[in-house]
Amino acid sequence: VQLQASGGGLGQAGGSLRLSCAAPGRTFSRSEMGWFRQAPGKEREFVAAISRSGATTDYADSVKGRFTISRDNDRNTVYLQMSNLKPEDTALYYCAAKAQILSDTRIYVGASAYDYWGQGTLVTVSS
């Protein structure tokens, strides 16, 4: 299963960027979707996740109030709207899918829980 992430690029501190990630329809509709990031020299970390229906979301403390995850189940796409960017948001951002999810309320924050990964899209924030 291939996830296609896009939307990365160069942003300024205080500015905004939006990431998108498309997945095959059958996988997307049954999956919880998440965003993770990995900065140079650091481990991959959880950013945000959204349940199958979109009713439940969760965020890392470092991005709460600044980032918003959403999904369009008709377009099989998950988004990460990033606002009030900070230089420490600079990282390679990955989208991920946890397939065959039955619950619409539980959110998984561990990378090992996810089954499929996109190739990553680079976000660089200048001060």
Side-chain angles (χ1 to χ4, degrees):
V1 174
Q2 193 167 8
L3 307 183
Q4 295 283 354
S6 61
L10 180 63
Q12 290 189 331
S16 299
L17 286 173
R18 189 176 80 156
L19 306 183
S20 301
C21 176
R26 289 187 63 184
T27 296
F28 189 82
S29 64
R30 301 173 184 179
S31 296
E32 174 179 321
M33 300 298 296
W35 287 98
F36 291 76
R37 67 186 182 186
Q38 187 167 16
K42 295 188 177 181
E43 293 188 354
R44 191 171 299 190
E45 64 175 2
F46 170 78
V47 176
I50 188 166
S51 64
R52 288 176 54 183
S53 72
T56 305
T57 58
D58 198 9
Y59 297 89
D61 287 344
S62 59
V63 306
K64 274 182 184 175
R66 300 189 299 119
F67 290 11
T68 302
I69 188 171
S70 61
R71 65 190 293 162
D72 185 335
N73 286 345
D74 291 330
R75 296 177 182 269
N76 302 323
T77 301
V78 61
Y79 304 97
L80 186 67
Q81 178 67 48
M82 304 185 294
S83 302
N84 192 19
L85 287 166
K86 302 178 179 180
E88 52 262 44
D89 294 322
T90 295
L92 194 59
Y93 283 72
Y94 297 90
C95 64
K98 180 170 176 59
Q100 302 298 331
I101 284 290
L102 299 180
S103 170
D104 201 41
T105 56
R106 179 178 178 179
I107 293 291
Y108 293 81
V109 302
S112 61
Y114 286 77
D115 304 296
Y116 306 110
W117 292 82
Q119 80 283 10
T121 185
L122 183 62
V123 171
T124 304
V125 182
S126 62
S127 58

